[in-house]
């Protein structure tokens, strides 16, 4: 799905207004070799690990450095403590967590543990990457 940028000034008040709704995920059974291939794309900065729709955690580039075996599964290495938000959290809360963690990506997870999106802050930290919309009538 195509994306577009939304500036902080034009962002809605809730995380649901600024999240990618169908983020790419990897299964816990995927291997470190799979993750290394994914990270060959410089735009890929965080892998979301999910079992079906259930959020498991994240894998960052730094977790694959050193002597980590290509055969190890991501389920063995997943970070379960990564900051996350719900769709009903405020954009201000998401920005606080991004700043506090020095991050530009936050998983969006329901209270029931379902992965429903990704907050993606661009490199300049001026815009959110959101799903492209067909026109103003479809904007939430």
């Amino acid at each position: 799905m195509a994306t577009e940028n939304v500036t902080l000034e034009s962002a809605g008040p809730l995380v649901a207004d600024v999240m990618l709704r169908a983020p790419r995920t990897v299964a816990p059974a995927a291997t470190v070799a799979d993750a290394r291939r994914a990270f060959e794309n410089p735009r890929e900065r965080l892998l979301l690990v999910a079992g079906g729709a259930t959020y498991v955690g994240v894998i960052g580039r730094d977790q694959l450095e050193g002597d980590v075996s290509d055969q190890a599964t991501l389920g063995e290495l997943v970070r379960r403590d990564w900051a996350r938000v719900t769709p009903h959290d405020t954009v201000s809360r998401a920005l606080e967590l991004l700043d506090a963690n020095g991050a530009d990506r936050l998983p969006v997870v329901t209270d029931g543990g379902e992965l429903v999106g990704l907050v993606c802050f661009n490199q300049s930290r001026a815009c959110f990457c959101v799903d492209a919309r067909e026109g103003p009538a479809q904007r939430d």
Side-chain angles (χ1 to χ4, degrees), residues 59-134:
I59 296 290
R61 289 175 185 271
D62 60 331
Q63 291 172 263
L64 306 180
E65 295 173 358
D67 250 0
V68 181
S69 168
D70 277 349
Q71 305 311 311
T73 66
L74 300 185
E76 297 172 56
L77 300 174
V78 70
R79 289 192 57 188
R80 299 176 196 282
D81 62 345
W82 191 264
R84 59 183 181 234
V85 290
T86 72
H88 305 291
D89 283 330
T90 64
V91 169
S92 297
R93 174 71 178 142
L95 290 171
E96 287 172 15
L97 289 170
L98 288 165
D99 288 341
N101 291 285
D104 56 10
R105 304 284 190 270
L106 283 176
V108 182
V109 182
T110 66
D111 292 334
E114 181 182 356
L115 177 66
V116 293
L118 176 69
V119 172
C120 172
F121 213 27
N122 71 356
Q123 283 185 310
S124 68
R125 298 184 68 81
C127 297
F128 292 99
C129 309
V130 299
D131 299 317
R133 296 184 172 71
E134 302 230 354

Side-chain angles (χ1 to χ4, degrees), residues 3-32:
T3 62
E4 61 185 40
N5 291 330
V6 171
T7 64
L8 292 172
E9 296 78 30
S10 63
L14 300 177
V15 166
D17 298 318
V18 297
M19 70 181 196
L20 294 170
R21 296 183 182 277
R24 184 178 18 232
T25 62
V26 294
T31 65
V32 166

